[in-house]
Structure formats: C-alpha cells, structure tokens
Amino acid sequence: MREIQLPLSQTQKVRLQKALEQLESLSTKVNSDASVIIADSIHVNHEDGVLKGHGTADLNGEVVATLCGVVERVNKLVYVRALRSRYKPEVGDIVIGRVVEVAQKRWRLEINYNQDAVLLLSSMNMPDGVQRRRTAVDELNMRCIFEENDVVCAEVRGFQHDGLHLQARSRKYGKLNRGQLLTVPPYLVKRQKQHFHHLEEFGIDLILGCNGFIWVGEHVEAKDDMIEDQVSQSDSQVLFPNKNCVSLEEQEKNYTILETRKYISRAANAVRVLSTLGFNITLEIIKGIIDLSLSMNLDIHDMLGSEFCVLVAEKEAERRSSMKKRR
Amino acid sequence: METDRPDGRTPNQLRPLAYSCSILHRAHGSASWAQGETKVLAAVYGPKAGTKKNENPEKASIEVIWKPKTGQIGKMEKEYEMILKRTLESICIRTIYPNTTTSVIVQVVHDDGALLPCAINAACAALVDAGIPLKHLAVAICCSVTDSGCIILDPTKDEEERSLQVGSEPMENGIMTSVTQGAMSVNDYLHCLERGRAACASLSEFVRKNIGTKSTSEPSKAG
C-alpha cells in the first residue's frame, strides 16, 4: 500500500503507530509465514500434483512466485494473492466505468483493467423500457443514452474474442448522475452479495464497484425515473429542439439540495479516509465513520485531516479486537 | 594495493542506498532509488490498451521514456532507453497481458555517476510496486577501472572513466545486460564481472529486505 502520507505531529504519529501495530498483531499471526516476494520458491508437495495458479510460474521444476503478495492454497490450487495489482474481472462483478469512446453499436468503458471494456447496444435496456430489436435509428441515438465521460454502472458479462463485455439489463444499472466518483485500489473492495447500498437516513446511494470505482450519489427511485424520463423526453423534443437550451424545469430537476450534497461529500470523504489508511471498504465501516464525524460535529473538510485519520485507525483497532473477543 | 578515493570509500564499498516506493499517487507503481547523490524516480503506468503502433497480438510491449534532469534527449539518453527496455523485457512475463502496453517513465533527479544502474534498479522496483508479474528481481551495479588499473565499485561522476554496468539475476546469478564504455583488457573485464556479481548479491538482499518488509505489513491493513 502507499505509505500513509499525512502531516502527522509527534503525538499523532505515536498513536497511529500503536493502532497499526495492534491491527498487525491481530492478523499477522495467520499470514506472516505466507508472504512471498518475486522469485521466491513456494514449498509444495509435488506428489499431489498441485495446480499453479495466478502469480506463480514453473522454473526448473520448482514453483516460484511472480508477484509480491500472500500465498493461498485451495485444495490443490496454489496461487499468490497480490495486493498491488489491477482489477481482475470475474463474471457477475458489478463495476463502475467511465465512457471513453462511442463506437459503432458499442461504448468503450474504462474500468481500471488492462483494456477497455465493451458495452454493446444490444446488452442494455433502452431508456424507454420497451423490449425490442435495436435499429439503425438507435445506433444514431447512442450519444443520447451515454456520451463520452459519462459514469455508467454495469455488470461483467464475460470475455469475448474482442475483449471484456459488460451488460446493463436491469433498472439498477445505467447512467449515474448527481454524485461523486471515487477511485480506490481494487483490493480494498471485497466481493459481497450486495454492492448497491441505500443510506436512508442520509438520502444517498452508495455503489461499491469491484474494480475500485465507488459512486456516492443522490438517491434515485428506479421506477419513478422511467416515468420522469418519458415526460421530459417528449417535452424537450417538442418545446426545446435546441440542445443547448436548458429549461427551468430541467434545472429544478437536476438541482440537489444542500443537505444532500453535504452528506454526499461526507460519505465520499469517509471512503477517502479508508483508502488513505488502507482499510477494507464496507458499508458498516463507512457508516461508522460518517456517524463518528457527525457526532464530533466535524466539518466535511476536517475529515481528511490527520487527527481524524488517527482517530479512525484507533476506532478500527478497537472494533476488530472486540470482534475477536466475541468469537 | 589500495587507491584512495575522493570520498574516502574503499574500492569495494558502495555509496549509501535509499529506496522508497508508492510515492506517486496517480501512477500504478512508482519507486525512487538513490545511490549517494545519484537519484532516479521511476513510474509505471499500465498494462493498458496499447496504441496501434506498439501493439503485439501475442505479448505485452514495454515502452520506456527517459526524462533527463535538464535539456533535450540526446543519443546517450536514447541508448539508455533502449538498454532499459531490453532489460525490462527480459524479466517481465509478457504473455499474460497480450495487446497491452506498459509505460515506464524514468525521471533523473540528480546524476553523480552510475546513472544507468540506478535507473534499472528504480524501474524494477516500480514494476514490483505496480504488481506486474516478473520472473526475477533484477539489480544493477557499476564498476570502473582507474588509470592505475584498480577496479572500484559504484563510481561517482569524477571517477567514471572506463565503466562497466552489470545487471544480474540474483537467483541464478546470471547476467542479463552488460554495457562497457571506454577501453579495458579482457582480464579487467572479467574482474569487473566478478566484483559486480558479488556487489549485486548484497544489493539484492537490500531490495528483498525492503520489499519483504512492506509485503509483510500489507496483509494486516488489507485483511
């Protein structure tokens, strides 16, 4: 991980060091003998016919590591779980990407992978919700759906001959509006059953993408959005054919109240604090940090200060030690 | 016989080493390597989708960009880029990411002799930081032959007269890259290789200790 680059005073440095040492003592006992460096040999029993997985290579009949990380063994599979690598897509992952190109019948999305992902026009629902075959008119209107630099939420469909394919066949996927996009290392986001979270007390949506892109935005009801889109689409076609003209109704629709914007910024700063410290990003920890900052009556920009980061590290150490005692 | 060096070192003594990684936020991997006053900062971006001219349908390609401290890129910098590119290509496992390009940007912060080995060490450390699969950890060292025929390690700018740069694999103790400048006899060349190989062993231990320390401490924060 990146070295924690915070302007720490002497007292804060000691407190942070103590909290990190406590966290290390809680988990190092399990992992200390499993970390490897590049070109280290991994001890395996060759009679069992082990499978060499990701991050390993065969060299003169010996299994060596090609990455720095932790050795994991699953039955006969031996692989190295790297902590500093790019996102590795799996089928069914929920990812957030940014549109970089609108090509013929497809959009290209940047999802922190070594090549751009492809979202086909036929792999997503049309905005009006009608299930029908895509026509040439739909191809011409692709920029009305997504244009360059839009943020899109999608699901990994699989690998095809021309690259990684995504799909957005549900109402919960699609374009993301009125929020913040954050980028964290992908290993901080664990794969869970639920990656869409609605924080009701704050009125915001939280999407933890498996590729390290995290979206914090205003809450959007899925069904109402369809009806509103239909009404505004017909209105804009009839009344305002010029795209540059933004009507007062659309301004009111795109406006987010100040209270919600503050909550969005507070949640985004909570994610940034976790990314700075290198902690796992889950819903419970994010909620805990938001509540901690609210209870201290902290300003939003003070959440990124060194004092609050040290406090978050200490709280996390207490939480994990209490969880360990509970078991 | 021993030769007095201007900074008081023995012929086999290296200058103090300094190494840090993950210092650039936007790069996928970054490392800084300093030997004495010579300092190099390396950043790795990628693997990312390759440009049309660089793409190879079977292997990943590596692009090295050398940034001198001042001035334009001349012939010497072009040669450094080529040497660095071939060295990195030989240690990377390039078949894992076909159709991609990995950019390695090497920025010279200060040059006080033995610049190319410093750049090789920084680039390899940056590749490790970026999580790119490597076959070996490569380290590099520089030897020099003085006028009196004595062989010294890790020369400074003033001592750099007839130099030999050795990049070796610590695991097999093989040589991947060897560059000579100036004229020297065959015996001097072989002696330089022996000295360089021995110095690379200690350098490799230094690198592994530093990377191992970070690797051990990482799971406690991420797990």
Side-chain angles (χ1 to χ4, degrees), chain A residues 19 35-36 51 61 66 90 106 134 261 284 288 302:
Chain A
S35 65
V36 287
L51 296 170
T66 58
E90 288 185 9
R106 63 182 64 185
R134 306 323 184 243
R261 275 187 270 138
E284 292 79 23
D302 284 332

Side-chain angles (χ1 to χ4, degrees), chain A residues 226-243:
Chain A
M226 287 296 164
I227 303 174
E228 286 179 15
D229 276 351
Q230 264 181 331
V231 171
S232 65
Q233 192 174 7
S234 60
D235 277 351
S236 63
Q237 279 177 2
V238 173
L239 298 176
F240 301 102
N242 195 354
K243 275 189 180 179

Side-chain angles (χ1 to χ4, degrees), chain A residues 37-256:
Chain A
I37 309 170
I38 284 170
D40 275 356
S41 61
I42 300 171
H43 301 290
V44 290
N45 196 350
H46 288 280
E47 299 171 1
D48 293 339
V50 295
L51 296 170
K52 292 179 280 294
H54 169 71
T56 60
D58 193 26
L59 186 66
N60 298 331
E62 198 179 17
V63 180
V64 296
T66 58
L67 295 168
C68 292
V70 179
V71 175
E72 303 271 355
R73 299 165 197 268
V74 184
N75 295 330
K76 293 193 175 183
L77 175 70
V78 179
Y79 68 99
V80 175
R81 178 166 56 90
L83 303 173
R84 300 263 326 150
S85 59
R86 310 284 295 280
Y87 168 61
K88 302 250 175 328
E90 288 185 9
V91 175
D93 276 351
I94 290 164
V95 295
I96 299 172
R98 193 181 280 276
V99 178
V100 296
E101 188 188 355
V102 181
Q104 187 186 12
K105 292 188 190 177
R106 63 182 64 185
W107 295 268
R108 295 198 175 274
L109 275 75
E110 154 68 28
I111 60 163
N112 196 21
Y113 183 47
N114 57 348
Q115 47 182 325
D116 289 335
V118 169
L119 178 62
L120 291 175
L121 180 59
S122 53
S123 296
M124 60 169 295
N125 281 354
M126 302 302 291
D128 50 15
V130 175
Q131 300 281 348
R132 56 180 174 79
R133 180 180 276 267
R134 306 323 184 243
T135 61
V137 178
D138 297 318
E139 287 183 36
L140 296 178
N141 289 327
M142 277 173 70
R143 267 198 174 77
C144 298
I145 307 172
F146 303 135
E147 65 177 4
E148 281 88 353
N149 292 323
D150 275 354
V151 182
V152 177
C153 182
E155 186 187 66
V156 173
R157 180 184 182 184
F159 283 94
Q160 306 289 330
H161 66 278
D162 56 343
L164 178 71
H165 277 226
L166 307 177
Q167 60 185 0
R169 296 193 182 279
S170 170
R171 288 216 176 104
K172 59 183 181 180
Y173 302 124
K175 188 196 280 192
L176 302 172
N177 278 323
R178 299 196 293 266
Q180 286 193 38
L181 176 71
L182 307 164
T183 303
V184 301
Y187 65 91
L188 296 179
V189 183
K190 296 289 186 182
R191 278 191 177 84
Q192 290 160 337
K193 292 182 177 178
Q194 184 62 253
H195 283 265
F196 295 89
H197 305 292
H198 174 212
L199 309 183
E200 296 185 19
E201 62 263 45
F202 306 129
I204 60 179
D205 275 342
L206 185 69
I207 306 178
L208 305 173
C210 291
N211 56 334
F213 287 11
I214 293 177
W215 176 261
V216 187
E218 190 186 7
H219 177 60
V220 175
E221 294 287 347
K223 293 184 178 179
D224 294 347
D225 201 51
M226 287 296 164
I227 303 174
E228 286 179 15
D229 276 351
Q230 264 181 331
V231 171
S232 65
Q233 192 174 7
S234 60
D235 277 351
S236 63
Q237 279 177 2
V238 173
L239 298 176
F240 301 102
N242 195 354
K243 275 189 180 179
N244 293 327
C245 182
V246 179
S247 69
L248 194 62
E249 287 180 2
E250 286 192 1
Q251 279 183 3
E252 284 181 4
K253 183 195 166 190
N254 285 329
Y255 178 77
T256 305

Side-chain angles (χ1 to χ4, degrees), chain A residues 1-3 5 24 27 31 35-40 59 66-68 70 83-84 86 88 114 278-280 320, chain B residues 22 25 28 46-49 93 97 100 128-131 133-134 171 208 212 214 216 218-223:
Chain A
M1 72 163 266
R2 297 183 173 87
E3 296 179 3
Q5 302 179 15
E24 189 166 344
S27 58
N31 289 327
S35 65
V36 287
I37 309 170
I38 284 170
D40 275 356
L59 186 66
T66 58
L67 295 168
C68 292
V70 179
L83 303 173
R84 300 263 326 150
R86 310 284 295 280
K88 302 250 175 328
N114 57 348
F279 291 164
N280 272 337
R320 288 197 205 178
Chain B
S22 303
H25 286 298
H28 297 126
K48 57 182 193 282
I93 302 176
Y97 298 117
T100 61
V128 170
D129 192 51
L134 305 174
M171 190 166 171
R208 289 179 159 274
K214 298 194 72 62
T216 305
E218 275 169 20
S220 68
K221 294 173 181 135

